[in-house]
């Protein structure tokens, strides 16, 4: 399963990219609004920093506007994927952009039918929003299960990009279902890295090493 970061924060992207954990990035207007600086410059920097697919979202809601924005955003770099909202106008834009070899990620997917139609229109990725479904009392992961099954039945080339991920359990569930990608807020990735037993175990190893380093091996010291 591929891991994307769901952020426009350059420091987080650099840190996790340096660890080799980042296969791609997803951004949206809300994420960009949280960062200081010019959004266009930030998007350009992300596209240069990470080799994998970078989803950049259009702001227009009409077909012509989405098409124009999609063409402009795609010029940021070859790895750009244009993020298009799941609407009728959006599906038209997906088809036209595909005809121009511009990849799209259809966002704000909340039903399996929406995912099916986005794939048929020619999207490269669909983004079911799991956390937001959980928030209204539905089981977001059931949607992922349905989409993975439907896409497998018909060999759609479209990839399932699990979005609106809120905690590490979402990641395990998505992986068990065979979703292609999860896009993670940096804090969820941080939680996946750490475990209290790892911290306790490491502290104990260092403490025990300190005991022998002071007696029989004085040169092998452990930093305090
Ligand atoms: C995905 O592409 C979206 O940017 C994101 O996952 C939305 O998550 P949220 O529901 O936490 O805003």
């Amino acid at each position: 399963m591929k891991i994307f970061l769901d952020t426009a924060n350059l420091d987080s992207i650099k840190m996790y990219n340096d660890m080799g954990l980042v296969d791609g990035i997803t951004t949206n207007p809300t994420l960009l609004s949280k960062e200081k600086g010019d959004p266009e410059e930030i998007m350009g920097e992300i596209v240069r920093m990470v080799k994998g697919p970078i989803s950049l979202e259009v702001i227009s809601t009409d077909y012509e506007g989405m098409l124009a924005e999609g063409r402009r955003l795609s010029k940021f770099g070859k790895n750009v994927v244009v993020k298009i909202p799941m609407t009728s106008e959006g599906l038209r834009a997906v088809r036209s952009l595909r005809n121009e070899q511009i990849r799209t990620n259809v966002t704000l997917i909340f039903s399996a039918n929406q995912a099916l139609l986005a794939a048929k229109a020619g999207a490269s990725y669909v983004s079911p929003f799991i956390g937001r479904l959980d928030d209204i009392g539905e089981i977001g992961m059931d949607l992922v299960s349905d989409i993975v099954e439907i896409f497998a039945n018909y060999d759609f080339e479209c990839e399932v990009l699990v979005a609106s991920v809120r905690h590490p359990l979402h990641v395990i569930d998505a992986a068990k279902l065979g979703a292609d990608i999860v896009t993670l807020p940096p804090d969820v990735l941080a939680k996946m890295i750490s475990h209290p037993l790892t911290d306790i175990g490491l502290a104990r190893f260092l403490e025990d090493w300190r005991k022998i380093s002071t007696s029989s091996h004085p040169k092998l010291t452990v930093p305090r």
Side-chain angles (χ1 to χ4, degrees):
M1 185 176 59
K2 284 171 274 190
I3 292 178
F4 287 8
L5 267 191
D6 195 27
T7 185
N9 184 275
L10 298 175
D11 292 337
S12 298
I13 293 171
K14 184 177 176 352
M15 180 170 79
Y16 291 115
N17 198 35
D18 286 350
M19 292 181 202
L21 298 177
V22 180
D23 297 308
I25 302 287
T26 50
T27 64
N28 64 36
T30 305
L31 293 171
L32 280 158
S33 75
K34 290 179 184 164
E35 303 303 321
K36 285 199 186 104
D38 176 44
E40 298 259 327
E41 279 175 26
I42 295 172
M43 288 191 277
E45 189 58 32
I46 296 172
V47 169
R48 283 189 291 276
M49 210 185 264
V50 176
K51 284 203 178 76
I54 312 296
S55 286
L56 304 179
E57 187 159 343
V58 299
I59 308 303
S60 306
T61 53
D62 63 301
Y63 167 73
E64 296 293 350
M66 284 189 259
L67 201 54
E69 260 191 84
R71 286 175 181 146
R72 194 175 63 78
L73 290 172
S74 72
K75 294 203 169 64
F76 276 75
K78 285 198 174 107
N79 51 344
V80 168
V81 173
V82 179
K83 213 170 178 190
I84 301 275
M86 177 61 211
T87 60
S88 301
E89 299 277 297
L91 293 182
R92 273 182 75 200
V94 165
R95 170 54 60 173
S96 298
L97 290 169
R98 185 190 173 91
N99 290 341
E100 297 177 23
Q101 276 81 51
I102 296 172
R103 291 180 295 165
T104 54
N105 169 5
V106 176
T107 190
L108 293 166
I109 295 272
F110 293 99
S111 78
N113 277 330
Q114 289 181 319
L116 176 63
L117 296 177
K120 272 194 83 70
S124 298
Y125 305 90
V126 288
S127 291
F129 276 36
I130 301 316
R132 294 193 198 185
L133 281 170
D134 289 354
D135 289 345
I136 61 161
E138 294 188 27
I139 300 173
M141 211 45 75
D142 284 353
L143 174 59
V144 175
S145 172
D146 286 346
I147 299 172
V148 167
E149 184 179 342
I150 291 166
F151 282 13
N153 282 349
Y154 298 102
D155 281 336
F156 279 125
E157 281 176 22
C158 186
E159 293 190 73
V160 182
L161 197 172
V162 179
S164 188
V165 169
R166 299 278 160 80
H167 49 70
L169 263 182
H170 274 153
V171 182
I172 293 171
D173 288 340
K176 282 182 177 170
L177 290 170
D180 301 288
I181 307 156
V182 284
T183 188
L184 306 180
D187 71 297
V188 174
L189 188 47
K191 285 178 191 157
M192 287 166 66
I193 290 172
S194 65
H195 194 288
L197 289 179
T198 305
D199 299 339
I200 292 167
L202 181 58
R204 193 176 297 160
F205 284 150
L206 296 182
E207 195 48 45
D208 288 342
W209 188 254
R210 252 179 224 117
K211 290 177 202 157
I212 52 172
S213 70
T214 49
S215 52
S216 41
H217 308 289
K219 282 183 184 163
L220 299 173
T221 55
V222 172
R224 291 198 175 265

